Amino acid sequence: MKKEVQLTKVPKPMIFTDVAPTYLTDETMLERKQKVLENMKVEGFDSIVIYADKEHGGNFEYLTGFIPRFEEGLLILDATGECTLVLGNENLKMAKVARIENQLIHFPLFSLPNQPMDNEARLETIFTAIGLAKKHKIGVVGWKMFTTTESDNEAYFDLPYFIIQALLTSKNAQAVLKNAAHLFIRGDQGARTTNNANEVAHYEYGANLSSSSILKAMDAVEIGVTEAVLGNELTAEGQTNTVVTIAATGQRFEYANVYPTHKQVKLGDPLSLTTAFKGGLSSRTGFVIENATQLPANQQDYLERVAKPYYQAVTAWLETIKIGMQGNELYQTIESVFPKADYHWHLNPGHLVSDEEWMSSPIYAGSDETLKSGMILQIDIIPSVAGYTGVSAEECVALADEKLQRQIEADYPELWQRITARRSYLKEVLNIELSEDIIPLSNTVGYLRPFYLAKEQAFRCVKL
């Protein structure tokens, strides 16, 4: 049913403070390992070599529970289930607390420049010693799954050259070396693409933080406030952000800068705010004004031309998505209500979220990947209409069938209360007929103020 979008007085969504992080259980960690081993078995991999550094640690962390922070690291998982951790100087201590049983090998070349090289050994020697030279099919897992149409995606590797060189040198001449990141992140089969109740609770912590932070930042917008002050509102509980924090007013990227500065917010400025933690991103874009009369002369129709159609697309996304639908179906839904030819969005209108802000996406033109219970997804529709400021209300939700919903309710009753409150807000306040398969992990799903200074006003739907 087509709905009218109104900008009107709307109560703010509830935020939840003092929500403690949920640890991943031993059972979950074992389940993760078994999922990866099963994927290896299906494709005949004898071993996989999983790389990590501070920026690219999601697949490694999925099994170990940690990233190697300032160094590189490798986890070699054999089809038998045996694991080897290859770590530099400052992460040796992590092997004892890793969430997977392992054999530790010290490799000081993974350490920072000029640190001691005690126990130095060639990486080729290490690979040979742990039996990689006897394997027939070896998978290489960085962070990136390549999806080009004109190249051999399995032959692309996103690891440092010296690691790939060592693998090529030490492997059997007849052995096959292939990119195997898809075993973890591809929507139709990746181990990481679906989550159990414990994992949903684990990742909801970050989604709750990001959405609470974005609301606090929106409330802090005033004439004269600096980007730095707003940026400070986008941090929380000492947690590491999974994207570069955005608090950008007026013209962006001056001097090629991408960080908040001490620039002051001015009346009429466009303003973008974004923050993200493990499990969730929240983002907003709009104008620092109180009403439509203060819009720039060349954007007086901003609401009708850009903002309201965008909100209709977000609403359609939330009302249409369901377990079992193919990615292309959701893609075409957004194309029908928010045509790319008119609004010039070019990325996927939704993607998977986990320890990183963008893991992969089953939502693309022609996708036959099926949306599954346990997927955590970010609404990510980005219009780019020439001559107009953008608009955004990016947030995270999970898909959960009846079984998973009941499991969350039983195991994490406080989380279920938060989910219930978020659902009620969307349905009863914003008049969004939320898909029954959605459990909102963010507090501010569907909440959009296009005018930052009109703090009591937001969009909501009215049935025609």
Side-chain angles (χ1 to χ4, degrees):
M1 182 179 296
K2 187 170 178 59
K3 298 181 178 181
E4 178 186 347
V5 175
Q6 291 183 344
L7 179 59
T8 186
K9 188 173 182 179
V10 174
K12 293 187 295 186
M14 183 185 303
I15 64 171
F16 301 92
T17 57
D18 299 321
V19 175
T22 297
Y23 291 108
L24 296 171
T25 64
D26 291 342
E27 292 77 13
T28 290
M29 298 307 295
L30 179 59
E31 180 183 323
R32 288 180 164 192
K33 181 180 177 181
Q34 292 304 319
K35 288 167 73 175
V36 174
L37 287 172
E38 180 59 31
N39 281 354
M40 290 172 60
K41 181 179 179 180
V42 168
E43 297 200 21
F45 283 102
D46 300 308
S47 292
I48 56 174
V49 179
I50 308 164
Y51 171 81
D53 58 33
K54 181 177 179 294
E55 298 297 328
H56 311 111
N59 295 318
F60 180 100
E61 185 176 10
Y62 183 71
L63 295 174
T64 65
F66 73 95
I67 58 170
R69 301 177 295 170
F70 9 80
E71 301 176 339
E72 297 97 354
L74 292 178
L75 170 65
I76 296 92
L77 177 61
D78 192 84
T80 63
E82 294 183 0
C83 300
T84 303
L85 277 172
V86 182
L87 301 172
N89 293 340
E90 296 192 66
N91 282 283
L92 294 176
K93 57 184 174 289
M94 297 303 296
K96 293 180 180 179
V97 297
R99 303 299 301 277
I100 191 169
E101 291 186 10
N102 65 86
Q103 170 195 354
L104 171 64
I105 297 179
H106 181 202
F107 184 59
L109 270 72
F110 281 163
S111 307
L112 296 175
N114 290 120
Q115 286 194 356
M117 289 290 107
D118 302 335
N119 302 319
E120 182 177 350
R122 290 176 58 82
L123 199 50
E124 291 89 341
T125 302
I126 293 173
F127 288 154
T128 300
I130 63 175
L132 280 185
K134 299 177 182 179
K135 305 301 182 182
H136 299 290
K137 187 175 182 181
I138 302 169
V140 176
V141 181
W143 70 279
K144 201 165 188 176
M145 173 185 66
F146 296 95
T147 56
T148 66
T149 58
E150 298 184 5
S151 301
D152 181 2
N153 294 311
E154 293 182 331
Y156 279 172
F157 304 113
D158 57 326
L159 278 64
Y161 175 75
F162 74 97
I163 297 175
I164 296 299
Q165 182 184 45
L167 284 168
L168 291 171
T169 302
S170 60
K171 76 176 183 65
N172 182 292
Q174 284 72 43
V176 174
L177 194 69
K178 292 188 174 184
N179 187 316
H182 64 280
L183 300 180
F184 288 79
I185 68 172
R186 195 164 76 191
D188 57 351
Q189 69 180 77
R192 297 179 60 204
T193 61
T194 57
N195 299 274
N196 64 24
N198 176 229
E199 291 168 311
V200 170
H202 175 74
Y203 290 119
E204 187 263 353
Y205 171 74
N208 179 62
L209 281 186
S210 64
S211 55
S212 297
S213 295
I214 205 76
L215 189 57
K216 290 176 183 177
M218 287 192 286
D219 285 345
V221 175
E222 301 286 354
I223 304 304
V225 71
T226 65
E227 293 176 340
V229 168
L230 296 177
N232 197 50
E233 297 289 350
L234 298 172
T235 62
E237 300 190 7
Q239 300 301 306
T240 298
N241 289 98
T242 56
V243 297
V244 172
T245 299
I246 299 172
T249 192
Q251 183 178 345
R252 291 186 64 181
F253 308 123
E254 291 180 311
Y255 304 103
N257 176 68
V258 297
Y259 309 109
T261 71
H262 282 220
K263 184 195 297 184
Q264 292 184 329
V265 170
K266 298 177 182 177
L267 182 66
D269 272 357
L271 175 64
S272 295
L273 302 170
T274 301
T275 189
F277 305 99
K278 288 178 179 291
L281 174 142
S282 298
S283 182
R284 294 296 183 277
T285 300
F287 279 100
V288 183
I289 57 178
E290 293 178 316
N291 55 66
T293 66
Q294 296 172 318
L295 284 165
N298 62 344
Q299 297 189 56
Q300 285 291 301
D301 61 344
Y302 170 77
L303 289 180
E304 303 301 327
R305 178 68 179 91
V306 179
K308 287 184 178 181
Y310 167 80
Y311 194 75
Q312 286 177 326
V314 170
T315 298
W317 197 101
L318 290 167
E319 294 184 339
T320 302
I321 193 170
K322 61 183 178 181
I323 294 166
M325 75 187 312
Q326 292 186 333
N328 182 63
E329 185 180 348
L330 184 57
Y331 181 95
Q332 295 302 332
T333 295
I334 300 306
E335 171 64 25
S336 67
V337 300
F338 200 61
K340 182 183 290 190
D342 297 330
Y343 298 99
H344 307 286
W345 49 273
H346 65 282
L347 300 180
N348 309 60
H351 58 80
L352 296 171
V353 175
S354 185
D355 291 295
E356 56 271 83
E357 185 268 335
W358 184 306
M359 184 168 69
S360 64
S361 178
I363 307 167
Y364 54 88
S367 170
D368 60 1
E369 297 182 26
T370 301
L371 302 185
K372 302 182 182 71
S373 178
M375 285 184 165
I376 300 176
L377 293 140
Q378 181 178 316
I379 308 166
D380 195 1
I381 308 163
I382 306 174
S384 180
V385 181
Y388 289 85
T389 291
V391 60
S392 72
E394 297 181 42
E395 297 292 348
C396 287
V397 302
L399 295 179
D401 59 18
E402 183 69 18
K403 180 181 178 181
L404 180 54
Q405 291 188 32
R406 297 290 73 83
Q407 192 72 54
I408 295 170
E409 182 179 17
D411 294 351
Y412 302 97
E414 292 183 355
L415 166 58
W416 189 251
Q417 289 176 4
R418 294 193 293 274
I419 289 170
T420 301
R422 294 166 186 151
R423 274 177 156 176
S424 296
Y425 180 82
L426 282 157
K427 292 180 179 180
E428 298 168 13
V429 178
L430 300 182
N431 296 322
I432 295 174
E433 296 174 9
L434 190 67
S435 166
E436 291 302 315
D437 290 341
I438 284 183
I439 53 173
L441 303 186
S442 297
N443 302 314
T444 45
V445 175
Y447 181 71
L448 176 56
R449 302 178 196 165
F451 304 153
Y452 283 107
L453 299 183
K455 297 183 181 180
E456 294 185 347
Q457 291 190 337
F459 285 142
R460 73 174 175 186
C461 296
V462 178
K463 293 179 184 178
L464 295 178

